[in-house]
Amino acid sequence: MKTKVIMVRHGETEWNVLCKFLGSVDLPLNEKGRRQAGYAKEALKEEPIDVIYSSPMKRAYETGEIIRGDRALPVRTDDGLREICCGAWEGLDGNEVEEKYPGQIALWGSRPEEIRIEGGDTFQEVSERITDAFWRIVNENRGKTILITSHMICLTLLMMRFEGRAVNELWEVKPIGNAALNIVEVSEDDKVEITAWSDDSFVPEEDRKGSALVAGRNYAEE
């Protein structure tokens, strides 16, 4: 029996709008972010969701609550689903980071495996953390349909693991939009099949926003 895992990036926050590095700063959704979560709720209304897990951060937890709707399920939190901590960069936009730490934005965009932000996580640490959390949750809920609400960087790194990609390929894959669905099916022998990657086709164009996390552009939309 397969285990289905539906992973959703949180809706928009005000710092996403301002292109500030958000990371571990615990901001709630803005009005648009709540609408985006509502679209995901509608898209998943027929899904027989058995359990819900979320990052403990407000923006992800609120997204999980909105998608849950009237299902009689708790939204459980797991620290392994938290977003990357950007340390000294948090609250800054890309231009401000470049002013304070010359050359680091270019390194972030071209060789993310090598970036070491003061007081922050490395991409490899986040990749290992989210992967551990994923398998812990799957092993506790075999054969069920699981909803996970989390964040762009950690979900992208997890999906890349499933494809056997290296961290340095981070900016080469499809960016995960706000409230986008990422769906995998896990077989009994732990083979993972990706059936959706950043599907936000259900979000109206006016409420959809392309990710800023692409090399050569702004990098602050975690």
Side-chain angles (χ1 to χ4, degrees):
M1 181 181 295
K2 290 185 177 181
T3 303
K4 185 175 184 178
V5 188
I6 304 167
M7 297 170 284
V8 185
R9 182 191 173 193
H10 64 79
E12 186 181 84
T13 72
E14 284 307 309
W15 278 17
N16 292 149
V17 177
L18 297 172
C19 289
K20 291 179 179 289
F21 280 88
L22 183 51
S24 65
V25 178
D26 201 12
L27 295 184
L29 301 178
N30 62 16
E31 182 179 346
K32 181 177 176 181
R34 295 185 188 97
R35 289 200 304 272
Q36 291 167 333
Y39 300 135
K41 172 187 175 182
E42 182 67 15
L44 295 171
K45 66 181 180 181
E46 302 300 329
E47 283 286 345
I49 295 170
D50 298 303
V51 290
I52 303 174
Y53 288 83
S54 173
S55 157
M57 307 184 84
K58 292 175 184 175
R59 57 193 185 273
Y61 190 85
E62 187 176 359
T63 299
E65 286 189 311
I66 290 171
I67 296 173
R68 173 181 63 182
D70 59 4
R71 294 180 177 90
L73 297 172
V75 179
R76 309 177 187 181
T77 60
D78 190 309
D79 272 350
L81 304 175
R82 296 176 69 91
E83 184 57 302
I84 188 172
C85 173
C86 293
W89 294 14
E90 292 181 349
L92 306 178
D93 63 26
N95 291 330
E96 291 169 328
V97 171
E98 179 60 26
E99 289 175 7
K100 290 177 176 285
Y101 308 98
Q104 291 297 290
I105 281 289
L107 187 61
W108 166 281
S110 61
R111 300 191 303 280
E113 283 185 0
E114 299 176 25
I115 196 72
R116 298 290 186 274
I117 301 174
E118 179 184 343
D121 298 323
T122 66
F123 286 109
Q124 188 61 39
E125 288 169 343
V126 176
S127 179
E128 292 170 1
R129 170 163 55 79
I130 185 66
T131 301
D132 287 347
F134 175 86
W135 286 111
R136 180 170 60 250
I137 291 169
V138 166
N139 286 328
E140 290 174 0
N141 298 279
R142 290 282 179 173
K144 297 180 180 180
T145 296
I146 304 165
L147 173 67
I148 291 174
T149 52
S150 188
H151 307 265
M152 172 184 268
I153 293 293
C154 53
L155 290 180
T156 303
L157 290 168
L158 179 62
M159 297 290 278
M160 289 171 61
R161 280 253 185 157
F162 297 149
E163 288 201 334
R165 289 176 175 266
V167 170
N168 269 346
E169 298 177 76
L170 180 62
W171 312 124
E172 299 172 18
V173 302
K174 183 179 181 180
I176 297 176
N178 291 113
L181 307 183
N182 307 273
I183 304 174
V184 301
E185 291 186 347
V186 183
S187 67
E188 292 181 357
D189 58 353
D190 290 349
K191 290 185 173 61
V192 178
E193 178 186 1
I194 297 174
T195 61
W197 184 315
S198 191
D199 176 11
D200 61 358
S201 58
F202 51 86
V203 179
E205 186 63 35
E206 62 270 19
D207 277 338
R208 197 183 306 158
K209 181 180 180 182
S211 166
L213 281 168
V214 180
R217 302 180 186 174
N218 292 317
Y219 302 97
E221 258 202 352
E222 306 95 344

